[in-house]
Every structure is written in structure tokens, then in C-alpha cells.
Amino acid sequence: EVQLLESGGGLVQPGGSLRLSCVASGLTFRSYAMSWVRQAPGKGLEWVSAISGSGDNTYYADSVKGRFSISRDNTQNTLYLQMNSLRAEDTAVYYCAKYDRYYYYAMDVWGQGTTVTVSS
Amino acid sequence: DIVMTQTPLSSPVTLGQPASISCRSSQSLVHSDGNTYLSWLQQRPGQPPRLLIYKISNRFSGVPDRFSGSGAGTDFTLKISRVEAEDVGVYYCMQATQFPLTFGGGTKVEIK
């Protein structure tokens, strides 16, 4: 069974930084693209970023471009999201998702999420 | 960017009755490879999203056959043939034809 476990969320001041992690198990991690999706309190889903299986290709939403950086360590089966210059509007639950670009072209496995709160 | 618009915002349904959700994209979701990468996700209260349907009409593993997807081009529909109590939640369409990936605003299905 494929499982994704996020960590690293917390309370941070505006302008601060945070690094989220997502550990994957039950899959050949390096074979799959991965993605981060967030959900602000009481709001809908917003795609944040994606990365190819090799890590060579990265993609970002305009709302986070230049501030967030996605990366992965395929030897540790871990996905990361480095978040800098955080703003109040970045407050959300951040989900890690397996992004199947071979067959489904959809996010077929999701973690439980980690909560980021940006506030002074 | 492709804008995904879902209607209705909310759908109160009687148990055992059908429900239908519409999703419209601001441009065609047909990829250059000929496929259409439109998926539907369900988010039950307090839970992460869960994939229901991929490539317009294909049910993901374990998804009951009361869920069905249809459509083409820019207009898509998710139907629940007979709503059960466990179907309560918010449903999202998502396009993966091009970056940035985009979601619809969500449709809340609740029991009347």
C-alpha cells in the first residue's frame, strides 16, 4: 500500500521560512512525479508545485514562484517544499500527492496533510 | 491558465436520489497526445482528497460504480446514480492537460 506522510508544518511569522517534508512508502519513489497541493481554511484546493521523478523538471503556481522551491531525495524517498518569504495568504493545509503521469494523469495518492500558519 | 468552473456550489440531495455536478474549462482540455486529462476528486469532511475518476470517465480502483464521469472538450459531468450517506463531502474537478494544474472551486454534496 502506498503511503505518504507529511511533516514540518507549524506557526511562522510573516517573512519567515519553513521546510515541509513528505516521506513515501510502498512505491518505487523515483519512478513518479510528485506534487504539493494546499487548502486554505474553509477554501478549495490549490495546486502549488510539482516535480518529475528524476527531479530534473519542476513546476510552480504563479502565487508561489520565486518564493517556494520543490525538491526530492530519491535515496530517502522524500519530497520537500522549501517555503520562503511566507505571507498570511500561505496559511493552509499542505498535502503531498503522488502525481501519476504515466497512466492516470491525476493525483492518485494523497497524504493526510500538514498545517502551516503564517501569523505574527 | 485554464480556469475550471463548477456548478452548482451546493447540491442538497435525498438519499437514494441522483446527483449531478458540472465542470467547465476555459479552454479545451484535449492534450496534444489526444487524451483529455480531467479528473474528479472527493473530499469527505476532515479527510484529504481522494481520486474518483481519471481521464473523464475512468473509475479509480475501489470507487463504486454509482459514480460516473462524462464529457468532452470543455464540458464535463460527474454523476452519482444513487446518493448514499458516505458520499457527503466536496467534489472537485481538476485538469492536468497543462501547467499550472487547476482545480474547480468545489461542489458540496449534502443530504436533504
Side-chain angles (χ1 to χ4, degrees):
Chain A
E1 182 193 2
V2 178
Q3 291 191 321
L4 303 174
L5 184 62
E6 304 97 333
S7 61
L11 174 64
V12 61
Q13 291 188 337
S17 298
L18 214 52
R19 188 175 85 155
L20 306 183
S21 300
C22 170
V23 177
S25 60
L27 78 166
T28 305
F29 185 66
R30 64 180 180 275
S31 296
Y32 295 98
M34 298 293 293
S35 188
W36 289 98
V37 175
R38 68 185 180 184
Q39 186 169 36
K43 301 296 184 183
L45 301 174
E46 180 189 14
W47 174 75
V48 173
S49 183
I51 186 169
S52 62
S54 65
D56 290 344
N57 298 296
T58 58
Y59 310 88
Y60 297 94
D62 284 346
S63 57
V64 306
K65 204 173 288 183
R67 300 188 299 123
F68 289 12
S69 177
I70 191 171
S71 62
R72 62 192 297 160
D73 182 343
N74 287 344
T75 66
Q76 299 292 322
N77 284 8
T78 304
L79 174 72
Y80 300 103
L81 185 68
Q82 177 67 44
M83 304 187 295
N84 299 328
S85 304
L86 282 161
R87 307 166 179 165
E89 54 265 36
D90 296 318
T91 294
V93 174
Y94 284 73
Y95 294 103
C96 159
K98 172 176 165 278
Y99 178 25
D100 186 297
R101 297 186 75 191
Y102 289 118
Y103 183 68
Y104 302 121
Y105 258 79
M107 296 180 202
D108 61 327
V109 181
W110 294 68
Q112 289 296 314
T114 187
T115 301
V116 172
T117 304
V118 184
S119 174
S120 54
Chain B
D1 297 3
I2 298 176
V3 176
M4 306 296 288
T5 304
Q6 280 183 239
T7 54
L9 215 57
S10 175
S11 179
V13 185
T14 301
L15 285 173
Q17 292 301 302
S20 181
I21 300 170
S22 173
C23 175
R24 185 163 288 178
S25 57
S26 60
Q27 61 192 79
S28 174
L29 297 187
V30 179
H31 193 272
S32 56
D33 65 7
N35 289 302
T36 300
Y37 298 122
L38 183 283
S39 58
W40 289 95
L41 302 105
Q42 174 196 61
Q43 188 175 32
R44 291 171 172 150
Q47 294 294 312
R50 163 199 177 202
L51 179 64
L52 291 179
I53 301 282
Y54 62 94
K55 288 192 276 190
I56 302 178
S57 59
N58 298 275
R59 272 188 303 276
F60 187 59
S61 174
V63 174
D65 60 8
R66 64 179 180 275
F67 291 94
S68 65
S70 62
T74 61
D75 286 288
F76 306 93
T77 303
L78 175 71
K79 289 183 180 173
I80 311 174
S81 58
R82 293 172 304 280
V83 171
E84 297 188 5
E86 65 178 19
D87 300 334
V88 165
V90 182
Y91 292 77
Y92 298 92
C93 59
M94 191 202 88
Q95 69 80 20
T97 294
Q98 70 178 53
F99 285 104
L101 308 183
T102 45
F103 292 90
T107 296
K108 188 173 187 178
V109 171
E110 50 197 356
I111 304 302
K112 250 187 229 182

